[in-house]
Every structure is written in structure tokens, then in C-alpha cells.
Short mmCIF file of all heavy atoms in Angstrom, two decimals:
data_model
loop_
_atom_site.label_atom_id
_atom_site.label_comp_id
_atom_site.label_asym_id
_atom_site.label_seq_id
_atom_site.Cartn_x
_atom_site.Cartn_y
_atom_site.Cartn_z
N MET A 70 16.03 0.39 -11.38
CA MET A 70 15.00 -0.62 -11.08
C MET A 70 13.90 -0.54 -12.13
O MET A 70 13.36 0.52 -12.39
CB MET A 70 14.43 -0.35 -9.69
CG MET A 70 13.76 -1.55 -9.09
SD MET A 70 13.31 -1.24 -7.37
CE MET A 70 11.53 -1.17 -7.53
N THR A 71 13.57 -1.66 -12.69
CA THR A 71 12.51 -1.67 -13.70
C THR A 71 11.15 -1.84 -13.03
O THR A 71 11.01 -2.58 -12.05
CB THR A 71 12.71 -2.79 -14.73
OG1 THR A 71 12.96 -4.00 -14.05
CG2 THR A 71 13.86 -2.49 -15.67
N GLU A 72 10.17 -1.19 -13.57
CA GLU A 72 8.81 -1.25 -13.05
C GLU A 72 8.16 -2.54 -13.51
O GLU A 72 8.10 -2.82 -14.69
CB GLU A 72 8.03 -0.05 -13.57
CG GLU A 72 6.60 0.00 -13.12
CD GLU A 72 6.41 0.86 -11.87
OE1 GLU A 72 7.34 1.58 -11.51
OE2 GLU A 72 5.34 0.80 -11.29
N ASN A 73 7.73 -3.33 -12.53
CA ASN A 73 7.04 -4.58 -12.87
C ASN A 73 5.60 -4.48 -12.37
O ASN A 73 5.35 -4.61 -11.18
CB ASN A 73 7.76 -5.76 -12.23
CG ASN A 73 7.06 -7.08 -12.53
OD1 ASN A 73 6.07 -7.12 -13.27
ND2 ASN A 73 7.55 -8.15 -11.96
N ILE A 74 4.66 -4.26 -13.29
CA ILE A 74 3.28 -4.02 -12.87
C ILE A 74 2.60 -5.28 -12.35
O ILE A 74 1.55 -5.22 -11.74
CB ILE A 74 2.42 -3.38 -13.98
CG1 ILE A 74 2.37 -4.27 -15.21
CG2 ILE A 74 2.90 -1.99 -14.32
CD1 ILE A 74 1.18 -3.96 -16.11
N ASP A 75 3.20 -6.46 -12.60
CA ASP A 75 2.59 -7.69 -12.10
C ASP A 75 3.21 -8.14 -10.79
O ASP A 75 2.87 -9.20 -10.27
CB ASP A 75 2.68 -8.79 -13.14
CG ASP A 75 1.69 -8.54 -14.27
OD1 ASP A 75 0.62 -8.00 -13.99
OD2 ASP A 75 2.00 -8.88 -15.42
N GLU A 76 4.09 -7.34 -10.25
CA GLU A 76 4.68 -7.65 -8.95
C GLU A 76 3.57 -7.64 -7.89
O GLU A 76 2.79 -6.70 -7.81
CB GLU A 76 5.72 -6.57 -8.63
CG GLU A 76 6.41 -6.75 -7.30
CD GLU A 76 7.26 -5.53 -6.95
OE1 GLU A 76 7.73 -4.84 -7.87
OE2 GLU A 76 7.42 -5.27 -5.76
N PRO A 77 3.49 -8.70 -7.06
CA PRO A 77 2.44 -8.70 -6.03
C PRO A 77 2.73 -7.67 -4.95
O PRO A 77 3.87 -7.56 -4.50
CB PRO A 77 2.49 -10.12 -5.45
CG PRO A 77 3.51 -10.87 -6.22
CD PRO A 77 4.31 -9.90 -7.02
N VAL A 78 1.71 -6.92 -4.58
CA VAL A 78 1.84 -5.94 -3.51
C VAL A 78 0.71 -6.15 -2.53
O VAL A 78 -0.35 -6.66 -2.88
CB VAL A 78 1.83 -4.49 -4.06
CG1 VAL A 78 3.13 -4.16 -4.77
CG2 VAL A 78 0.63 -4.23 -4.95
N LYS A 79 0.94 -5.72 -1.29
CA LYS A 79 -0.07 -5.93 -0.26
C LYS A 79 -0.84 -4.64 0.02
O LYS A 79 -0.26 -3.57 0.15
CB LYS A 79 0.60 -6.42 1.02
CG LYS A 79 -0.41 -6.82 2.08
CD LYS A 79 0.24 -7.64 3.18
CE LYS A 79 -0.82 -8.12 4.16
NZ LYS A 79 -0.27 -9.00 5.18
N ASP A 80 -2.13 -4.80 0.10
CA ASP A 80 -3.02 -3.75 0.55
C ASP A 80 -3.08 -3.90 2.07
O ASP A 80 -3.66 -4.85 2.58
CB ASP A 80 -4.39 -3.99 -0.11
CG ASP A 80 -5.47 -3.05 0.40
OD1 ASP A 80 -5.30 -2.46 1.49
OD2 ASP A 80 -6.49 -2.93 -0.30
N TYR A 81 -2.42 -3.00 2.78
CA TYR A 81 -2.32 -3.16 4.24
C TYR A 81 -3.64 -2.93 4.96
O TYR A 81 -3.79 -3.33 6.11
CB TYR A 81 -1.26 -2.20 4.80
CG TYR A 81 0.14 -2.63 4.48
CD1 TYR A 81 1.02 -1.77 3.84
CD2 TYR A 81 0.57 -3.91 4.81
CE1 TYR A 81 2.31 -2.18 3.54
CE2 TYR A 81 1.85 -4.32 4.52
CZ TYR A 81 2.73 -3.45 3.88
OH TYR A 81 3.98 -3.85 3.59
N VAL A 82 -4.58 -2.30 4.30
CA VAL A 82 -5.86 -2.04 4.97
C VAL A 82 -6.70 -3.32 5.07
O VAL A 82 -7.15 -3.69 6.14
CB VAL A 82 -6.63 -0.91 4.25
CG1 VAL A 82 -8.02 -0.74 4.85
CG2 VAL A 82 -5.84 0.39 4.36
N CYS A 83 -6.87 -4.03 3.97
CA CYS A 83 -7.68 -5.24 4.02
C CYS A 83 -6.83 -6.51 4.03
O CYS A 83 -7.35 -7.59 4.25
CB CYS A 83 -8.68 -5.28 2.86
SG CYS A 83 -7.91 -5.44 1.26
N GLY A 84 -5.50 -6.37 3.80
CA GLY A 84 -4.62 -7.51 3.89
C GLY A 84 -4.49 -8.33 2.62
O GLY A 84 -3.77 -9.33 2.56
N MET A 85 -5.17 -7.89 1.56
CA MET A 85 -5.16 -8.62 0.30
C MET A 85 -3.85 -8.39 -0.47
O MET A 85 -3.30 -7.30 -0.45
CB MET A 85 -6.36 -8.08 -0.48
CG MET A 85 -6.46 -8.50 -1.91
SD MET A 85 -7.90 -7.69 -2.67
CE MET A 85 -9.24 -8.44 -1.76
N VAL A 86 -3.36 -9.44 -1.14
CA VAL A 86 -2.18 -9.33 -1.98
C VAL A 86 -2.58 -9.54 -3.43
O VAL A 86 -3.19 -10.55 -3.77
CB VAL A 86 -1.10 -10.37 -1.57
CG1 VAL A 86 0.11 -10.27 -2.49
CG2 VAL A 86 -0.69 -10.15 -0.12
N LYS A 87 -2.27 -8.57 -4.28
CA LYS A 87 -2.63 -8.64 -5.70
C LYS A 87 -1.51 -8.02 -6.52
O LYS A 87 -0.75 -7.21 -6.02
CB LYS A 87 -3.91 -7.85 -5.97
CG LYS A 87 -5.18 -8.52 -5.54
CD LYS A 87 -6.33 -8.13 -6.44
CE LYS A 87 -7.06 -6.88 -6.03
NZ LYS A 87 -8.31 -6.71 -6.79
N PRO A 88 -1.45 -8.38 -7.83
CA PRO A 88 -0.49 -7.68 -8.69
C PRO A 88 -0.80 -6.19 -8.75
O PRO A 88 -1.97 -5.80 -8.71
CB PRO A 88 -0.70 -8.33 -10.06
CG PRO A 88 -1.40 -9.62 -9.79
CD PRO A 88 -2.19 -9.41 -8.54
N LYS A 89 0.26 -5.39 -8.86
CA LYS A 89 0.09 -3.93 -8.94
C LYS A 89 -0.94 -3.53 -9.98
O LYS A 89 -1.72 -2.61 -9.78
CB LYS A 89 1.41 -3.28 -9.33
CG LYS A 89 2.33 -3.04 -8.18
CD LYS A 89 3.58 -2.33 -8.68
CE LYS A 89 4.65 -2.27 -7.60
NZ LYS A 89 5.90 -1.71 -8.13
N SER A 90 -0.92 -4.23 -11.11
CA SER A 90 -1.79 -3.84 -12.23
C SER A 90 -3.27 -3.99 -11.89
O SER A 90 -4.12 -3.43 -12.56
CB SER A 90 -1.45 -4.68 -13.46
OG SER A 90 -1.56 -6.06 -13.16
N GLN A 91 -3.57 -4.80 -10.84
CA GLN A 91 -4.98 -5.00 -10.48
C GLN A 91 -5.43 -4.13 -9.32
O GLN A 91 -6.58 -4.19 -8.90
CB GLN A 91 -5.21 -6.48 -10.14
CG GLN A 91 -5.14 -7.34 -11.38
CD GLN A 91 -5.31 -8.82 -11.05
OE1 GLN A 91 -6.05 -9.19 -10.13
NE2 GLN A 91 -4.64 -9.68 -11.78
N MET A 92 -4.51 -3.35 -8.77
CA MET A 92 -4.88 -2.46 -7.68
C MET A 92 -5.58 -1.21 -8.23
O MET A 92 -5.22 -0.70 -9.28
CB MET A 92 -3.63 -2.07 -6.89
CG MET A 92 -3.04 -3.21 -6.08
SD MET A 92 -4.19 -3.82 -4.81
CE MET A 92 -3.03 -4.71 -3.73
N GLU A 93 -6.58 -0.74 -7.50
CA GLU A 93 -7.41 0.38 -7.97
C GLU A 93 -6.86 1.74 -7.57
O GLU A 93 -7.19 2.75 -8.17
CB GLU A 93 -8.82 0.26 -7.40
CG GLU A 93 -9.59 -0.96 -7.89
CD GLU A 93 -10.00 -0.81 -9.34
OE1 GLU A 93 -10.30 0.32 -9.76
OE2 GLU A 93 -10.02 -1.83 -10.05
N ALA A 94 -6.06 1.76 -6.48
CA ALA A 94 -5.62 3.06 -5.97
C ALA A 94 -4.22 2.94 -5.41
O ALA A 94 -3.77 1.86 -5.05
CB ALA A 94 -6.60 3.52 -4.88
N GLN A 95 -3.54 4.07 -5.34
CA GLN A 95 -2.21 4.08 -4.72
C GLN A 95 -1.96 5.43 -4.08
O GLN A 95 -2.58 6.43 -4.44
CB GLN A 95 -1.13 3.75 -5.75
CG GLN A 95 -0.92 4.81 -6.82
CD GLN A 95 0.13 4.37 -7.82
OE1 GLN A 95 -0.09 3.42 -8.58
NE2 GLN A 95 1.25 5.05 -7.85
N THR A 96 -1.06 5.44 -3.11
CA THR A 96 -0.70 6.68 -2.45
C THR A 96 0.77 6.62 -2.08
O THR A 96 1.34 5.53 -1.98
CB THR A 96 -1.60 6.93 -1.22
OG1 THR A 96 -1.42 8.27 -0.77
CG2 THR A 96 -1.25 5.99 -0.08
N VAL A 97 1.38 7.77 -1.87
CA VAL A 97 2.77 7.82 -1.45
C VAL A 97 2.82 8.34 -0.02
O VAL A 97 2.20 9.35 0.31
CB VAL A 97 3.60 8.74 -2.38
CG1 VAL A 97 5.05 8.81 -1.89
CG2 VAL A 97 3.55 8.24 -3.81
N TYR A 98 3.51 7.60 0.83
CA TYR A 98 3.66 8.01 2.23
C TYR A 98 5.12 7.84 2.62
O TYR A 98 5.68 6.77 2.47
CB TYR A 98 2.74 7.17 3.11
CG TYR A 98 2.84 7.52 4.59
CD1 TYR A 98 2.41 8.76 5.04
CD2 TYR A 98 3.38 6.62 5.49
CE1 TYR A 98 2.51 9.09 6.38
CE2 TYR A 98 3.47 6.95 6.84
CZ TYR A 98 3.05 8.19 7.27
OH TYR A 98 3.16 8.51 8.61
N LYS A 99 5.74 8.92 3.10
CA LYS A 99 7.15 8.91 3.49
C LYS A 99 8.04 8.32 2.40
O LYS A 99 8.92 7.50 2.66
CB LYS A 99 7.33 8.15 4.80
CG LYS A 99 6.73 8.91 5.98
CD LYS A 99 7.05 8.21 7.30
CE LYS A 99 6.48 8.98 8.47
NZ LYS A 99 6.57 8.22 9.73
N GLY A 100 7.75 8.68 1.15
CA GLY A 100 8.60 8.27 0.04
C GLY A 100 8.36 6.87 -0.47
O GLY A 100 9.04 6.41 -1.38
N LYS A 101 7.40 6.15 0.11
CA LYS A 101 7.07 4.81 -0.36
C LYS A 101 5.68 4.80 -0.98
O LYS A 101 4.80 5.52 -0.52
CB LYS A 101 7.09 3.82 0.83
CG LYS A 101 8.36 2.98 0.87
CD LYS A 101 8.27 1.94 1.97
CE LYS A 101 7.44 0.76 1.58
NZ LYS A 101 8.14 -0.36 1.02
N VAL A 102 5.51 3.94 -2.01
CA VAL A 102 4.22 3.84 -2.66
C VAL A 102 3.44 2.67 -2.05
O VAL A 102 3.98 1.57 -1.90
CB VAL A 102 4.37 3.62 -4.18
CG1 VAL A 102 3.02 3.65 -4.86
CG2 VAL A 102 5.29 4.68 -4.77
N TYR A 103 2.20 2.92 -1.71
CA TYR A 103 1.32 1.88 -1.17
C TYR A 103 0.13 1.71 -2.11
O TYR A 103 -0.42 2.68 -2.61
CB TYR A 103 0.84 2.26 0.23
CG TYR A 103 1.99 2.30 1.22
CD1 TYR A 103 2.69 3.47 1.43
CD2 TYR A 103 2.37 1.15 1.90
CE1 TYR A 103 3.76 3.50 2.32
CE2 TYR A 103 3.44 1.16 2.78
CZ TYR A 103 4.13 2.34 2.99
OH TYR A 103 5.18 2.37 3.86
N PHE A 104 -0.24 0.45 -2.31
CA PHE A 104 -1.32 0.12 -3.26
C PHE A 104 -2.55 -0.40 -2.51
O PHE A 104 -2.42 -1.06 -1.48
CB PHE A 104 -0.84 -0.94 -4.25
CG PHE A 104 0.23 -0.41 -5.18
CD1 PHE A 104 1.56 -0.42 -4.79
CD2 PHE A 104 -0.11 0.10 -6.42
CE1 PHE A 104 2.55 0.08 -5.64
CE2 PHE A 104 0.87 0.60 -7.26
CZ PHE A 104 2.20 0.59 -6.87
N PHE A 105 -3.71 -0.12 -3.11
CA PHE A 105 -4.98 -0.52 -2.47
C PHE A 105 -5.93 -1.07 -3.51
O PHE A 105 -5.95 -0.61 -4.64
CB PHE A 105 -5.61 0.70 -1.77
CG PHE A 105 -4.63 1.32 -0.81
CD1 PHE A 105 -3.88 2.41 -1.20
CD2 PHE A 105 -4.44 0.77 0.44
CE1 PHE A 105 -2.94 2.96 -0.34
CE2 PHE A 105 -3.50 1.31 1.31
CZ PHE A 105 -2.75 2.41 0.91
N CYS A 106 -6.75 -2.05 -3.06
CA CYS A 106 -7.69 -2.68 -4.00
C CYS A 106 -8.88 -1.78 -4.26
O CYS A 106 -9.63 -2.01 -5.20
CB CYS A 106 -8.14 -4.03 -3.45
SG CYS A 106 -9.17 -3.92 -1.98
N ALA A 107 -9.08 -0.75 -3.41
CA ALA A 107 -10.24 0.13 -3.57
C ALA A 107 -9.91 1.52 -3.05
O ALA A 107 -9.07 1.69 -2.17
CB ALA A 107 -11.43 -0.44 -2.81
N GLU A 108 -10.61 2.52 -3.58
CA GLU A 108 -10.44 3.90 -3.13
C GLU A 108 -10.73 4.03 -1.64
O GLU A 108 -10.09 4.80 -0.93
CB GLU A 108 -11.38 4.84 -3.90
CG GLU A 108 -10.89 5.20 -5.29
CD GLU A 108 -9.66 6.12 -5.27
OE1 GLU A 108 -9.52 6.91 -4.32
OE2 GLU A 108 -8.84 6.03 -6.19
N ASP A 109 -11.71 3.26 -1.16
CA ASP A 109 -12.07 3.33 0.26
C ASP A 109 -10.91 2.90 1.14
O ASP A 109 -10.68 3.46 2.21
CB ASP A 109 -13.30 2.47 0.54
CG ASP A 109 -14.58 3.16 0.11
OD1 ASP A 109 -14.52 4.35 -0.26
OD2 ASP A 109 -15.63 2.51 0.13
N ASP A 110 -10.17 1.85 0.71
CA ASP A 110 -9.01 1.40 1.49
C ASP A 110 -7.95 2.48 1.52
O ASP A 110 -7.30 2.71 2.54
CB ASP A 110 -8.44 0.12 0.89
CG ASP A 110 -9.31 -1.09 1.19
OD1 ASP A 110 -10.24 -0.96 2.00
OD2 ASP A 110 -9.05 -2.16 0.62
N LYS A 111 -7.77 3.16 0.40
CA LYS A 111 -6.80 4.24 0.35
C LYS A 111 -7.17 5.36 1.32
O LYS A 111 -6.32 5.88 2.04
CB LYS A 111 -6.71 4.80 -1.08
CG LYS A 111 -5.67 5.89 -1.24
CD LYS A 111 -5.62 6.42 -2.66
CE LYS A 111 -6.09 7.85 -2.71
NZ LYS A 111 -5.77 8.50 -4.00
N LYS A 112 -8.44 5.69 1.37
CA LYS A 112 -8.90 6.76 2.28
C LYS A 112 -8.66 6.36 3.73
O LYS A 112 -8.26 7.17 4.56
CB LYS A 112 -10.39 7.04 2.06
CG LYS A 112 -10.63 7.85 0.81
CD LYS A 112 -12.12 8.10 0.61
CE LYS A 112 -12.41 8.51 -0.82
NZ LYS A 112 -13.79 8.15 -1.21
N MET A 113 -8.92 5.08 4.04
CA MET A 113 -8.68 4.58 5.40
C MET A 113 -7.20 4.69 5.74
O MET A 113 -6.83 5.10 6.84
CB MET A 113 -9.08 3.10 5.49
CG MET A 113 -10.55 2.87 5.25
SD MET A 113 -11.46 2.65 6.78
CE MET A 113 -10.92 1.02 7.26
N PHE A 114 -6.36 4.30 4.79
CA PHE A 114 -4.91 4.37 5.01
C PHE A 114 -4.46 5.81 5.23
O PHE A 114 -3.71 6.11 6.16
CB PHE A 114 -4.19 3.76 3.80
CG PHE A 114 -2.68 3.77 3.93
CD1 PHE A 114 -2.01 2.72 4.53
CD2 PHE A 114 -1.94 4.84 3.42
CE1 PHE A 114 -0.62 2.74 4.64
CE2 PHE A 114 -0.55 4.86 3.53
CZ PHE A 114 0.11 3.81 4.14
N GLU A 115 -4.92 6.71 4.37
CA GLU A 115 -4.47 8.10 4.44
C GLU A 115 -4.92 8.79 5.73
O GLU A 115 -4.29 9.74 6.18
CB GLU A 115 -4.95 8.87 3.20
CG GLU A 115 -4.15 8.48 1.97
CD GLU A 115 -4.62 9.19 0.71
OE1 GLU A 115 -5.79 9.62 0.65
OE2 GLU A 115 -3.81 9.30 -0.23
N ALA A 116 -6.00 8.30 6.32
CA ALA A 116 -6.47 8.89 7.58
C ALA A 116 -5.49 8.59 8.71
O ALA A 116 -5.25 9.44 9.56
CB ALA A 116 -7.86 8.36 7.90
N HIS A 117 -4.91 7.37 8.72
CA HIS A 117 -3.98 6.97 9.80
C HIS A 117 -2.90 6.06 9.23
O HIS A 117 -2.87 4.87 9.56
CB HIS A 117 -4.73 6.20 10.89
CG HIS A 117 -5.88 6.95 11.49
ND1 HIS A 117 -5.71 7.96 12.40
CD2 HIS A 117 -7.22 6.84 11.29
CE1 HIS A 117 -6.90 8.44 12.74
NE2 HIS A 117 -7.82 7.79 12.07
N PRO A 118 -2.01 6.59 8.40
CA PRO A 118 -1.01 5.72 7.75
C PRO A 118 -0.19 4.89 8.73
O PRO A 118 0.03 3.70 8.50
CB PRO A 118 -0.11 6.70 6.99
CG PRO A 118 -0.91 7.94 6.85
CD PRO A 118 -1.82 7.99 8.05
N ASP A 119 0.24 5.49 9.81
CA ASP A 119 1.10 4.77 10.76
C ASP A 119 0.40 3.59 11.42
O ASP A 119 1.04 2.66 11.88
CB ASP A 119 1.65 5.73 11.82
CG ASP A 119 2.78 6.58 11.27
OD1 ASP A 119 3.59 6.05 10.48
OD2 ASP A 119 2.85 7.76 11.62
N ALA A 120 -0.91 3.66 11.49
CA ALA A 120 -1.65 2.56 12.11
C ALA A 120 -1.69 1.33 11.21
O ALA A 120 -1.87 0.21 11.68
CB ALA A 120 -3.06 3.02 12.45
N TRP A 121 -1.53 1.52 9.91
CA TRP A 121 -1.67 0.42 8.96
C TRP A 121 -0.33 -0.21 8.57
O TRP A 121 -0.28 -1.40 8.24
CB TRP A 121 -2.36 0.90 7.68
CG TRP A 121 -3.76 1.37 7.91
CD1 TRP A 121 -4.21 2.67 7.86
CD2 TRP A 121 -4.92 0.58 8.24
NE1 TRP A 121 -5.55 2.71 8.14
CE2 TRP A 121 -6.01 1.45 8.37
CE3 TRP A 121 -5.11 -0.80 8.43
CZ2 TRP A 121 -7.29 0.99 8.69
CZ3 TRP A 121 -6.39 -1.24 8.74
CH2 TRP A 121 -7.46 -0.36 8.87
N ILE A 122 0.72 0.57 8.57
CA ILE A 122 2.01 0.04 8.14
C ILE A 122 2.58 -0.89 9.21
O ILE A 122 2.69 -0.49 10.36
CB ILE A 122 3.00 1.19 7.84
CG1 ILE A 122 2.45 2.08 6.72
CG2 ILE A 122 4.36 0.63 7.43
CD1 ILE A 122 3.19 3.40 6.57
N PRO A 123 2.94 -2.12 8.83
CA PRO A 123 3.49 -3.06 9.83
C PRO A 123 4.82 -2.55 10.38
O PRO A 123 5.57 -1.88 9.68
CB PRO A 123 3.70 -4.36 9.05
CG PRO A 123 3.03 -4.18 7.74
CD PRO A 123 2.86 -2.71 7.51
N ASN A 124 5.13 -2.92 11.61
CA ASN A 124 6.35 -2.42 12.26
C ASN A 124 7.62 -2.81 11.52
O ASN A 124 8.55 -2.01 11.44
CB ASN A 124 6.42 -2.95 13.70
CG ASN A 124 5.46 -2.20 14.60
OD1 ASN A 124 5.21 -1.01 14.39
ND2 ASN A 124 4.90 -2.88 15.58
N GLN A 125 7.69 -4.01 10.98
CA GLN A 125 8.92 -4.43 10.30
C GLN A 125 9.16 -3.57 9.05
O GLN A 125 10.30 -3.37 8.64
CB GLN A 125 8.91 -5.92 9.95
CG GLN A 125 7.93 -6.35 8.87
CD GLN A 125 6.63 -6.87 9.48
OE1 GLN A 125 6.26 -6.45 10.57
NE2 GLN A 125 5.95 -7.75 8.80
N GLU A 126 8.08 -3.05 8.49
CA GLU A 126 8.20 -2.19 7.32
C GLU A 126 8.76 -0.82 7.72
O GLU A 126 9.56 -0.24 7.04
CB GLU A 126 6.82 -2.02 6.69
CG GLU A 126 6.81 -1.25 5.38
CD GLU A 126 6.74 -2.17 4.18
OE1 GLU A 126 6.81 -3.41 4.33
OE2 GLU A 126 6.64 -1.64 3.08
N LYS A 127 8.35 -0.34 8.89
CA LYS A 127 8.83 0.96 9.38
C LYS A 127 10.33 0.93 9.67
O LYS A 127 11.03 1.90 9.46
CB LYS A 127 8.09 1.34 10.67
CG LYS A 127 6.64 1.71 10.44
CD LYS A 127 5.98 2.01 11.77
CE LYS A 127 4.48 2.14 11.61
NZ LYS A 127 3.79 2.03 12.90
N ASP A 128 10.82 -0.23 10.14
CA ASP A 128 12.23 -0.34 10.49
C ASP A 128 13.15 -0.14 9.30
O ASP A 128 14.30 0.26 9.44
CB ASP A 128 12.51 -1.73 11.09
CG ASP A 128 11.87 -1.87 12.47
OD1 ASP A 128 11.52 -0.84 13.06
OD2 ASP A 128 11.73 -3.02 12.93
N THR A 129 12.66 -0.46 8.10
CA THR A 129 13.50 -0.36 6.91
C THR A 129 13.50 1.04 6.32
O THR A 129 14.18 1.31 5.36
CB THR A 129 13.06 -1.38 5.83
OG1 THR A 129 11.72 -1.06 5.42
CG2 THR A 129 13.12 -2.80 6.35
N MET A 130 12.70 1.95 6.88
CA MET A 130 12.63 3.29 6.32
C MET A 130 13.76 4.18 6.84
O MET A 130 14.23 4.02 7.92
CB MET A 130 11.30 3.92 6.68
CG MET A 130 10.19 3.30 5.87
SD MET A 130 8.80 4.42 5.72
CE MET A 130 7.60 3.79 6.76
ZN1 LIG B 24 -8.29 -3.58 0.04
#
């Protein structure tokens, strides 16, 4: 799989969708990478990852 930095990704904390290249922060949870528009959103996610990940996303893990 080739890395596409302009692929749109969703920040599950604030709900914003932006290209990967414009995201400020990222974290890995259960082998998946999650992107965030701000460090604060990443901290919120890391505090309670399961609360932020949508259910349909969990089913594919
Ligand atoms: Zn955000």
C-alpha cells in the first residue's frame, strides 16, 4: 500500500475531515493510526479511545 498524504482522514474527536498532510497530530491505537487536527484532540482521544471510535470502525478490527 502506498502512502498518500493527501488522503482525507477524519479526526474523530472534533469530527473534522482533512488531508493527512494537514493534520497536526497522530496516534496509534490497536494497530490503527488516527489523525487529529490538534494536539488537544489527540490528548482527548488517548484519554478514552474507545469512546471516540465509531462502532462500525470497531467491527472491522
Ligand atoms: Zn480536531
